Amino acid sequence: MKRGMIDFWVGLFALAGIAALLFLALKVSSQGNLPAGSSYQLIANFENIGGLKVRAPIKSAGVVVGRVSSITLDPERYVAKVTMDMDSRYHFSRDSSAEILTSGLLGEQYIGITSGADEKVLSAGNTFKITSSAIVLEQLISRFLFSQADQEKEAQ
Amino acid sequence: MNFLVESISRFGRPLTNSLIKLGFACRFLLAILRHSATALLRPHLTLREIWFAGVLSVLIITVSGLFVGMVLALQGYDTLQRFGASSSLGILVALSLVRELGPVVAGLLFASRAGSAITAEIGLMKTTEQLAAMEMMAVNPIARVVAPRFWGGVISMPLLAAIFSAMGILGGYLIGVQLLGLDSGSFWSQMQGAVDFRLDVMNGVIKSVFFGVAVSLIAVFEGYDAPPTAEGISSATTRTVVTSALTILALDFILTAFMFRGV
Protein backbone atom coordinates (compact mmCIF):
# COMPACT_ATOMS: atom_id res chain seq x y z
CA MET A 1 0.00 0.00 0.00
CA LYS A 2 1.21 3.51 -0.80
CA ARG A 3 2.63 5.61 2.00
CA GLY A 4 -0.05 8.30 1.54
CA MET A 5 -2.86 5.78 1.95
CA ILE A 6 -1.22 4.31 5.08
CA ASP A 7 -0.94 7.82 6.56
CA PHE A 8 -4.62 8.45 5.76
CA TRP A 9 -5.83 5.23 7.41
CA VAL A 10 -3.60 5.69 10.48
CA GLY A 11 -4.91 9.25 10.82
CA LEU A 12 -8.48 7.99 10.62
CA PHE A 13 -7.67 5.28 13.21
CA ALA A 14 -6.17 7.84 15.62
CA LEU A 15 -9.25 10.03 15.13
CA ALA A 16 -11.56 7.08 15.89
CA GLY A 17 -9.57 6.25 19.04
CA ILE A 18 -9.65 9.85 20.27
CA ALA A 19 -13.38 10.09 19.44
CA ALA A 20 -14.00 6.91 21.49
CA LEU A 21 -12.06 8.37 24.43
CA LEU A 22 -14.00 11.65 24.16
CA PHE A 23 -17.25 9.66 24.10
CA LEU A 24 -16.16 7.84 27.28
CA ALA A 25 -15.17 11.16 28.90
CA LEU A 26 -18.20 13.25 27.96
CA LYS A 27 -21.12 10.86 27.54
CA VAL A 28 -20.27 7.90 29.79
CA SER A 29 -18.45 9.33 32.82
CA SER A 30 -18.67 12.33 35.07
CA GLN A 31 -15.58 14.38 35.78
CA GLY A 32 -15.93 13.26 39.39
CA ASN A 33 -13.76 15.54 41.44
CA LEU A 34 -14.44 19.23 41.72
CA PRO A 35 -11.92 21.39 39.89
CA ALA A 36 -8.95 22.26 42.09
CA GLY A 37 -9.16 25.66 43.72
CA SER A 38 -12.93 25.86 43.58
CA SER A 39 -13.61 23.80 46.68
CA TYR A 40 -13.26 24.16 50.45
CA GLN A 41 -13.22 21.51 53.15
CA LEU A 42 -15.74 20.98 55.93
CA ILE A 43 -15.72 18.31 58.65
CA ALA A 44 -18.56 16.36 60.23
CA ASN A 45 -18.33 13.81 63.05
CA PHE A 46 -20.75 10.89 63.06
CA GLU A 47 -21.29 8.16 65.63
CA ASN A 48 -21.86 5.67 62.84
CA ILE A 49 -21.32 6.18 59.12
CA GLY A 50 -22.90 2.88 58.04
CA GLY A 51 -21.79 2.16 54.47
CA LEU A 52 -20.66 5.69 53.55
CA LYS A 53 -17.65 5.64 51.22
CA VAL A 54 -15.03 8.09 50.03
CA ARG A 55 -16.30 9.98 46.91
CA ALA A 56 -19.92 9.63 48.06
CA PRO A 57 -21.95 12.71 47.09
CA ILE A 58 -22.98 15.47 49.48
CA LYS A 59 -26.40 16.80 48.60
CA SER A 60 -28.48 19.72 49.70
CA ALA A 61 -32.10 19.82 48.54
CA GLY A 62 -31.18 16.94 46.22
CA VAL A 63 -28.43 18.91 44.44
CA VAL A 64 -24.85 17.59 44.59
CA VAL A 65 -22.78 20.26 46.39
CA GLY A 66 -19.62 18.27 47.14
CA ARG A 67 -17.99 14.89 47.70
CA VAL A 68 -16.58 12.99 50.68
CA SER A 69 -12.78 13.22 50.50
CA SER A 70 -11.71 11.14 53.51
CA ILE A 71 -13.12 9.12 56.39
CA THR A 72 -11.06 8.48 59.55
CA LEU A 73 -11.71 7.39 63.10
CA ASP A 74 -11.12 10.01 65.81
CA PRO A 75 -8.83 8.06 68.23
CA GLU A 76 -9.95 10.06 71.31
CA ARG A 77 -13.72 10.23 70.95
CA TYR A 78 -14.17 7.09 68.80
CA VAL A 79 -16.39 8.83 66.28
CA ALA A 80 -16.01 8.82 62.48
CA LYS A 81 -14.49 12.03 61.16
CA VAL A 82 -15.71 12.71 57.62
CA THR A 83 -13.91 15.37 55.58
CA MET A 84 -15.91 16.83 52.70
CA ASP A 85 -14.83 18.79 49.61
CA MET A 86 -17.56 21.36 49.10
CA ASP A 87 -18.24 23.34 45.93
CA SER A 88 -17.13 26.91 46.66
CA ARG A 89 -20.29 28.31 45.06
CA TYR A 90 -22.34 27.01 47.98
CA HIS A 91 -22.05 28.09 51.61
CA PHE A 92 -24.13 26.86 54.51
CA SER A 93 -25.08 28.58 57.77
CA ARG A 94 -23.32 27.59 60.99
CA ASP A 95 -26.34 25.82 62.43
CA SER A 96 -26.77 23.57 59.36
CA SER A 97 -27.15 19.88 60.04
CA ALA A 98 -25.53 16.96 58.22
CA GLU A 99 -27.12 13.52 58.15
CA ILE A 100 -26.30 10.27 56.42
CA LEU A 101 -29.11 9.19 54.10
CA THR A 102 -29.68 6.34 51.68
CA SER A 103 -30.90 6.83 48.14
CA GLY A 104 -33.76 4.39 47.70
CA LEU A 105 -34.08 1.32 49.88
CA LEU A 106 -30.82 -0.37 48.89
CA GLY A 107 -29.03 2.48 47.13
CA GLU A 108 -25.72 4.15 47.96
CA GLN A 109 -25.36 6.31 51.05
CA TYR A 110 -24.78 10.05 50.87
CA ILE A 111 -24.63 13.04 53.19
CA GLY A 112 -27.63 15.35 53.16
CA ILE A 113 -27.21 18.93 54.41
CA THR A 114 -30.17 20.90 55.72
CA SER A 115 -29.39 24.58 55.97
CA GLY A 116 -30.11 26.45 59.21
CA ALA A 117 -31.05 30.08 59.93
CA ASP A 118 -27.78 31.53 61.26
CA GLU A 119 -26.41 34.47 59.26
CA LYS A 120 -22.80 33.37 59.70
CA VAL A 121 -21.66 30.64 57.33
CA LEU A 122 -19.32 27.67 57.75
CA SER A 123 -15.88 28.38 56.29
CA ALA A 124 -12.98 26.09 55.35
CA GLY A 125 -12.01 23.69 58.15
CA ASN A 126 -15.19 24.25 60.21
CA THR A 127 -17.14 21.36 61.72
CA PHE A 128 -20.88 20.68 61.57
CA LYS A 129 -22.34 20.88 65.09
CA ILE A 130 -25.55 18.98 64.39
CA THR A 131 -25.16 15.57 62.78
CA SER A 132 -27.23 12.42 62.68
CA SER A 133 -25.80 8.99 61.98
CA ALA A 134 -26.70 6.43 59.38
CA ILE A 135 -29.66 4.20 60.14
CA VAL A 136 -28.37 0.67 60.64
CA LEU A 137 -31.00 -1.84 59.59
CA GLU A 138 -30.08 -4.40 62.29
CA GLN A 139 -30.47 -1.80 65.09
CA LEU A 140 -33.81 -0.73 63.66
CA ILE A 141 -35.10 -4.31 63.59
CA SER A 142 -33.85 -5.08 67.12
CA ARG A 143 -35.49 -1.90 68.45
CA PHE A 144 -38.75 -2.90 66.80
CA LEU A 145 -38.58 -6.41 68.27
CA PHE A 146 -37.83 -5.10 71.79
CA SER A 147 -40.71 -2.63 71.62
CA GLN A 148 -43.03 -5.45 70.52
CA ALA A 149 -41.88 -7.58 73.46
CA ASP A 150 -42.45 -4.67 75.88
CA GLN A 151 -45.95 -4.14 74.55
CA GLU A 152 -46.78 -7.82 75.00
CA LYS A 153 -45.49 -7.71 78.61
CA GLU A 154 -47.63 -4.66 79.38
CA ALA A 155 -50.68 -6.34 77.86
CA GLN A 156 -50.17 -9.36 80.12
CA MET B 1 24.26 -40.97 42.36
CA ASN B 2 24.37 -40.09 38.66
CA PHE B 3 20.73 -41.08 38.33
CA LEU B 4 19.79 -38.71 41.16
CA VAL B 5 21.67 -35.77 39.61
CA GLU B 6 20.09 -36.49 36.22
CA SER B 7 16.56 -36.60 37.64
CA ILE B 8 17.02 -33.31 39.50
CA SER B 9 18.45 -31.62 36.42
CA ARG B 10 15.60 -33.00 34.26
CA PHE B 11 13.02 -31.44 36.60
CA GLY B 12 14.97 -28.21 36.94
CA ARG B 13 15.67 -27.72 33.24
CA PRO B 14 12.29 -26.15 32.28
CA LEU B 15 12.65 -23.65 35.14
CA THR B 16 16.24 -22.77 34.19
CA ASN B 17 15.23 -22.42 30.53
CA SER B 18 12.31 -20.13 31.47
CA LEU B 19 14.59 -17.94 33.58
CA ILE B 20 17.15 -17.73 30.77
CA LYS B 21 14.38 -16.75 28.36
CA LEU B 22 13.03 -14.11 30.79
CA GLY B 23 16.50 -12.64 31.20
CA PHE B 24 16.96 -12.55 27.41
CA ALA B 25 13.53 -10.86 27.06
CA CYS B 26 14.58 -8.14 29.54
CA ARG B 27 17.84 -7.57 27.63
CA PHE B 28 15.81 -7.49 24.40
CA LEU B 29 13.44 -4.84 25.82
CA LEU B 30 16.42 -2.68 26.82
CA ALA B 31 17.86 -3.08 23.30
CA ILE B 32 14.50 -2.00 21.79
CA LEU B 33 14.35 1.05 24.07
CA ARG B 34 17.94 1.94 23.19
CA HIS B 35 17.18 1.81 19.46
CA SER B 36 13.73 3.44 19.72
CA ALA B 37 15.04 6.90 18.89
CA THR B 38 16.23 5.70 15.47
CA ALA B 39 12.88 4.04 14.80
CA LEU B 40 10.81 7.02 15.92
CA LEU B 41 12.96 9.43 13.91
CA ARG B 42 11.70 7.65 10.80
CA PRO B 43 7.97 7.84 11.55
CA HIS B 44 6.80 6.15 8.35
CA LEU B 45 8.19 2.85 9.70
CA THR B 46 6.10 3.14 12.88
CA LEU B 47 3.06 4.47 10.98
CA ARG B 48 3.16 1.41 8.73
CA GLU B 49 3.15 -0.82 11.83
CA ILE B 50 0.26 1.13 13.39
CA TRP B 51 -1.63 0.53 10.16
CA PHE B 52 -0.72 -3.16 10.23
CA ALA B 53 -1.40 -3.79 13.95
CA GLY B 54 -4.04 -1.17 14.67
CA VAL B 55 -6.04 -0.21 11.58
CA LEU B 56 -6.37 -3.81 10.37
CA SER B 57 -7.62 -4.87 13.84
CA VAL B 58 -10.35 -2.20 14.00
CA LEU B 59 -13.01 -4.34 12.32
CA ILE B 60 -12.69 -7.32 14.69
CA ILE B 61 -12.47 -4.96 17.70
CA THR B 62 -15.58 -3.01 16.64
CA VAL B 63 -17.71 -6.07 15.95
CA SER B 64 -16.57 -7.90 19.11
CA GLY B 65 -17.13 -4.79 21.26
CA LEU B 66 -20.65 -4.38 19.92
CA PHE B 67 -21.55 -8.01 20.59
CA VAL B 68 -19.95 -8.10 24.05
CA GLY B 69 -21.92 -4.98 25.03
CA MET B 70 -25.14 -6.48 23.67
CA VAL B 71 -24.67 -9.77 25.55
CA LEU B 72 -23.78 -7.90 28.76
CA ALA B 73 -26.98 -5.88 28.46
CA LEU B 74 -29.13 -8.98 27.88
CA GLN B 75 -27.60 -10.95 30.75
CA GLY B 76 -27.44 -7.94 33.07
CA TYR B 77 -31.08 -7.07 32.43
CA ASP B 78 -32.14 -10.62 33.27
CA THR B 79 -30.39 -10.48 36.66
CA LEU B 80 -31.14 -6.86 37.59
CA GLN B 81 -34.81 -7.23 36.75
CA ARG B 82 -35.20 -9.78 39.59
CA PHE B 83 -34.23 -7.08 42.09
CA GLY B 84 -36.25 -4.37 40.41
CA ALA B 85 -33.04 -2.57 39.52
CA SER B 86 -33.17 -2.81 35.73
CA SER B 87 -32.59 0.96 35.47
CA SER B 88 -29.01 0.34 36.69
CA LEU B 89 -28.22 -1.58 33.50
CA GLY B 90 -26.20 1.34 32.12
CA ILE B 91 -23.91 1.30 35.17
CA LEU B 92 -23.33 -2.44 34.89
CA VAL B 93 -22.50 -2.32 31.17
CA ALA B 94 -20.29 0.77 31.39
CA LEU B 95 -18.29 -0.21 34.48
CA SER B 96 -17.69 -3.78 33.26
CA LEU B 97 -16.52 -2.55 29.88
CA VAL B 98 -14.46 0.46 30.89
CA ARG B 99 -12.72 -1.16 33.86
CA GLU B 100 -12.20 -4.75 32.74
CA LEU B 101 -13.61 -6.11 29.51
CA GLY B 102 -12.50 -3.26 27.27
CA PRO B 103 -8.77 -3.49 27.98
CA VAL B 104 -8.69 -7.28 28.57
CA VAL B 105 -10.78 -8.56 25.65
CA ALA B 106 -9.27 -5.96 23.29
CA GLY B 107 -5.83 -7.13 24.49
CA LEU B 108 -6.66 -10.80 23.86
CA LEU B 109 -8.02 -10.02 20.38
CA PHE B 110 -5.01 -7.82 19.65
CA ALA B 111 -2.65 -10.65 20.68
CA SER B 112 -4.44 -13.13 18.43
CA ARG B 113 -4.88 -10.83 15.44
CA ALA B 114 -1.80 -8.59 15.42
CA GLY B 115 0.63 -10.26 17.87
CA SER B 116 0.66 -13.58 16.03
CA ALA B 117 1.09 -11.82 12.68
CA ILE B 118 4.07 -9.82 13.99
CA THR B 119 5.71 -13.01 15.33
CA ALA B 120 5.17 -14.85 12.04
CA GLU B 121 6.51 -11.90 10.02
CA ILE B 122 9.70 -11.49 12.05
CA GLY B 123 10.16 -15.27 12.26
CA LEU B 124 9.88 -15.56 8.50
CA MET B 125 12.36 -12.70 8.00
CA LYS B 126 14.76 -14.63 10.25
CA THR B 127 14.17 -17.92 8.38
CA THR B 128 14.78 -16.31 4.98
CA GLU B 129 17.92 -14.69 6.43
CA GLN B 130 16.69 -11.15 5.84
CA LEU B 131 17.75 -10.16 9.36
CA ALA B 132 21.23 -11.59 8.80
CA ALA B 133 21.42 -9.73 5.47
CA MET B 134 20.54 -6.47 7.21
CA GLU B 135 23.32 -7.02 9.72
CA MET B 136 25.69 -7.66 6.81
CA MET B 137 24.70 -4.26 5.40
CA ALA B 138 25.33 -2.64 8.81
CA VAL B 139 21.61 -2.06 9.35
CA ASN B 140 20.58 -2.92 12.89
CA PRO B 141 17.54 -5.25 12.65
CA ILE B 142 16.34 -4.22 16.12
CA ALA B 143 16.19 -0.56 15.07
CA ARG B 144 14.81 -1.25 11.57
CA VAL B 145 12.45 -4.21 12.13
CA VAL B 146 11.74 -4.80 15.83
CA ALA B 147 11.43 -1.32 17.39
CA PRO B 148 8.85 0.05 14.87
CA ARG B 149 6.67 -3.06 15.37
CA PHE B 150 6.95 -2.75 19.15
CA TRP B 151 5.95 0.95 19.17
CA GLY B 152 3.23 0.37 16.58
CA GLY B 153 1.62 -2.15 18.95
CA VAL B 154 2.10 0.01 22.06
CA ILE B 155 0.43 3.02 20.37
CA SER B 156 -2.40 1.00 18.80
CA MET B 157 -3.52 -0.91 21.89
CA PRO B 158 -5.04 1.96 24.01
CA LEU B 159 -6.87 3.30 20.95
CA LEU B 160 -8.29 -0.16 20.20
CA ALA B 161 -9.36 -0.63 23.84
CA ALA B 162 -11.13 2.75 23.83
CA ILE B 163 -12.94 1.85 20.58
CA PHE B 164 -13.91 -1.53 22.08
CA SER B 165 -15.38 0.07 25.24
CA ALA B 166 -17.24 2.75 23.29
CA MET B 167 -18.73 0.19 20.87
CA GLY B 168 -19.68 -2.08 23.79
CA ILE B 169 -21.55 0.75 25.52
CA LEU B 170 -23.34 1.54 22.25
CA GLY B 171 -24.26 -2.17 22.00
CA GLY B 172 -25.59 -2.04 25.57
CA TYR B 173 -27.61 1.06 24.65
CA LEU B 174 -29.08 -0.66 21.56
CA ILE B 175 -30.26 -3.65 23.61
CA GLY B 176 -31.20 -1.85 26.84
CA VAL B 177 -32.97 1.19 25.43
CA GLN B 178 -34.02 0.25 21.91
CA LEU B 179 -34.92 -3.41 22.46
CA LEU B 180 -35.84 -3.76 26.15
CA GLY B 181 -37.42 -0.33 26.46
CA LEU B 182 -35.45 1.23 29.33
CA ASP B 183 -35.59 5.00 29.62
CA SER B 184 -32.80 6.56 27.56
CA GLY B 185 -32.30 9.52 29.94
CA SER B 186 -31.92 7.41 33.06
CA PHE B 187 -29.64 4.95 31.18
CA TRP B 188 -27.11 7.70 30.43
CA SER B 189 -27.55 9.76 33.63
CA GLN B 190 -27.16 6.77 35.98
CA MET B 191 -24.07 5.76 33.99
CA GLN B 192 -22.59 9.25 34.30
CA GLY B 193 -23.33 9.27 38.03
CA ALA B 194 -21.48 6.01 38.65
CA VAL B 195 -18.55 6.09 36.19
CA ASP B 196 -15.72 8.39 37.21
CA PHE B 197 -13.44 9.64 34.43
CA ARG B 198 -10.19 9.58 36.37
CA LEU B 199 -10.80 6.47 38.44
CA ASP B 200 -12.53 4.23 35.90
CA VAL B 201 -11.83 5.45 32.36
CA MET B 202 -8.21 6.52 32.86
CA ASN B 203 -7.34 3.38 34.83
CA GLY B 204 -8.74 1.35 31.92
CA VAL B 205 -6.51 3.32 29.53
CA ILE B 206 -3.46 2.73 31.79
CA LYS B 207 -4.25 -0.99 31.82
CA SER B 208 -4.42 -1.09 28.03
CA VAL B 209 -1.02 0.63 27.76
CA PHE B 210 0.49 -2.08 30.00
CA PHE B 211 -1.18 -4.79 27.90
CA GLY B 212 0.09 -3.11 24.71
CA VAL B 213 3.69 -3.16 25.99
CA ALA B 214 3.37 -6.80 27.15
CA VAL B 215 1.78 -8.17 23.95
CA SER B 216 4.06 -6.22 21.61
CA LEU B 217 7.19 -7.30 23.52
CA ILE B 218 6.11 -10.95 23.54
CA ALA B 219 5.23 -10.85 19.82
CA VAL B 220 8.53 -9.32 18.65
CA PHE B 221 10.56 -11.41 21.08
CA GLU B 222 9.01 -14.73 20.05
CA GLY B 223 9.50 -13.82 16.37
CA TYR B 224 13.14 -12.84 16.92
CA ASP B 225 13.80 -15.91 19.07
CA ALA B 226 11.99 -18.41 16.80
CA PRO B 227 14.01 -21.33 15.42
CA PRO B 228 14.47 -20.63 11.69
CA THR B 229 12.25 -23.46 10.46
CA ALA B 230 8.59 -23.74 9.41
CA GLU B 231 7.86 -25.68 12.58
CA GLY B 232 9.75 -23.12 14.69
CA ILE B 233 7.65 -20.24 13.32
CA SER B 234 4.38 -22.10 13.87
CA SER B 235 5.24 -22.95 17.48
CA ALA B 236 6.50 -19.36 18.09
CA THR B 237 3.17 -17.99 16.81
CA THR B 238 1.25 -20.31 19.13
CA ARG B 239 3.51 -19.33 22.04
CA THR B 240 2.85 -15.64 21.35
CA VAL B 241 -0.92 -16.10 21.69
CA VAL B 242 -0.70 -18.37 24.76
CA THR B 243 1.93 -16.32 26.62
CA SER B 244 0.21 -13.02 25.76
CA ALA B 245 -3.18 -14.28 26.99
CA LEU B 246 -1.73 -15.53 30.27
CA THR B 247 0.34 -12.36 30.74
CA ILE B 248 -2.70 -10.14 30.10
CA LEU B 249 -4.81 -12.02 32.65
CA ALA B 250 -2.05 -12.02 35.29
CA LEU B 251 -1.24 -8.33 34.68
CA ASP B 252 -4.95 -7.51 34.85
CA PHE B 253 -5.19 -9.11 38.27
CA ILE B 254 -2.13 -7.24 39.57
CA LEU B 255 -3.22 -3.87 38.13
CA THR B 256 -6.80 -4.28 39.39
CA ALA B 257 -5.48 -5.09 42.87
CA PHE B 258 -3.46 -1.85 42.81
CA MET B 259 -6.12 0.37 41.24
CA PHE B 260 -9.45 -0.68 42.72
CA ARG B 261 -8.57 -2.33 46.03
CA GLY B 262 -9.99 0.45 48.20
CA VAL B 263 -13.08 1.10 46.08
Side-chain angles (χ1 to χ4, degrees):
Chain A
M1 194 180 261
K2 280 181 186 168
R3 196 183 286 184
M5 280 307 281
I6 289 178
D7 288 354
F8 169 76
W9 283 111
V10 171
L12 205 64
F13 170 57
L15 202 68
I18 292 164
L21 267 179
L22 272 178
F23 169 76
L24 294 177
L26 300 175
K27 185 82 179 167
V28 174
S29 66
S30 63
Q31 295 303 311
N33 299 337
L34 300 165
S38 72
S39 66
Y40 64 101
Q41 287 198 324
L42 291 180
I43 295 161
N45 295 313
F46 295 96
E47 278 179 18
N48 192 334
I49 56 159
L52 189 76
K53 290 198 172 76
V54 173
R55 291 203 315 117
I58 294 150
K59 295 181 182 177
S60 182
V63 179
V64 178
V65 293
R67 293 208 176 262
V68 173
S69 63
S70 79
I71 301 171
T72 50
L73 183 73
D74 187 331
E76 287 171 6
R77 294 160 56 204
Y78 291 99
V79 291
K81 183 181 170 189
V82 177
T83 313
M84 301 176 261
D85 278 341
M86 308 293 290
D87 192 325
S88 58
R89 285 176 296 172
Y90 306 114
H91 291 275
F92 297 93
S93 61
R94 285 199 167 184
D95 57 348
S96 298
S97 65
E99 54 186 332
I100 297 177
L101 303 166
T102 311
S103 50
L105 193 62
L106 297 167
E108 57 164 4
Q109 289 191 303
Y110 65 95
I111 295 181
I113 295 177
T114 315
S115 194
D118 199 331
E119 281 180 7
K120 288 179 184 168
V121 291
L122 290 164
S123 51
N126 285 164
T127 307
F128 280 95
K129 290 206 173 63
I130 313 164
T131 58
S132 61
S133 295
I135 293 171
V136 180
L137 209 59
E138 288 89 335
Q139 286 179 357
L140 210 65
I141 293 168
S142 68
R143 257 182 232 162
F144 173 72
L145 289 176
F146 280 124
S147 70
Q148 284 282 321
D150 286 346
Q151 276 177 7
E152 277 174 23
K153 264 185 198 169
E154 279 171 20
Q156 280 173 1
Chain B
M1 188 67 190
N2 262 351
F3 171 73
L4 193 69
V5 172
E6 264 177 32
S7 334
I8 292 172
S9 73
R10 196 181 307 132
F11 281 114
R13 199 166 297 136
L15 181 71
T16 327
N17 286 346
S18 310
L19 285 177
I20 289 171
K21 208 166 179 183
L22 187 67
F24 182 37
C26 291
R27 201 152 54 85
F28 193 65
L29 177 65
L30 288 178
I32 292 173
L33 294 178
R34 207 171 54 237
H35 291 104
S36 290
T38 354
L40 294 174
L41 280 175
R42 297 167 70 188
H44 71 273
L45 287 177
T46 313
L47 278 183
R48 192 191 158 276
E49 297 314 322
I50 295 175
W51 173 76
F52 184 70
V55 177
L56 296 184
S57 306
V58 166
L59 187 66
I60 189 175
I61 290 283
T62 309
V63 176
S64 313
L66 204 63
F67 278 115
V68 167
M70 280 159 53
V71 168
L72 260 181
L74 276 177
Q75 290 285 5
Y77 184 80
D78 185 47
T79 313
L80 289 172
Q81 194 193 25
R82 296 178 195 189
F83 303 102
S86 50
S87 59
S88 303
L89 186 70
I91 301 175
L92 181 121
V93 171
L95 278 183
S96 324
L97 277 163
V98 167
R99 280 183 174 187
E100 288 297 330
L101 291 174
V104 172
V105 180
L108 293 174
L109 289 170
F110 180 72
S112 342
R113 163 69 186 75
S116 58
I118 291 171
T119 305
E121 199 187 7
I122 298 179
L124 198 66
M125 286 174 106
K126 192 179 174 189
T127 312
T128 51
E129 297 186 344
Q130 291 181 46
L131 299 182
M134 276 182 193
E135 275 178 21
M136 288 289 286
M137 293 186 288
V139 175
N140 189 330
I142 291 186
R144 179 68 178 75
V145 174
V146 174
R149 280 165 180 74
F150 174 78
W151 285 111
V154 172
I155 294 168
S156 301
M157 187 56 228
L159 297 171
L160 289 174
I163 293 173
F164 186 96
S165 298
M167 290 312 295
I169 289 164
L170 286 179
Y173 171 80
L174 282 179
I175 293 296
V177 177
Q178 305 293 338
L179 189 77
L180 300 170
L182 290 177
D183 180 55
S184 162
S186 72
F187 181 85
W188 292 116
S189 67
Q190 288 220 13
M191 196 187 282
Q192 283 176 358
V195 181
D196 185 81
F197 181 71
R198 192 182 55 80
L199 198 74
D200 299 317
V201 179
M202 285 320 287
N203 276 350
V205 172
I206 293 168
K207 269 186 182 182
S208 61
V209 172
F210 273 91
F211 297 164
V213 171
V215 173
S216 307
L217 178 65
I218 291 168
V220 291
F221 174 76
E222 290 292 355
Y224 201 79
D225 193 44
T229 57
E231 196 190 353
I233 296 173
S234 79
S235 63
T237 316
T238 313
R239 263 203 311 277
T240 296
V241 178
V242 174
T243 318
S244 300
L246 292 176
T247 312
I248 285 174
L249 295 173
L251 260 182
D252 182 49
F253 171 72
I254 295 167
L255 292 171
T256 307
F258 273 112
M259 288 167 173
F260 300 110
R261 198 176 48 179
V263 181

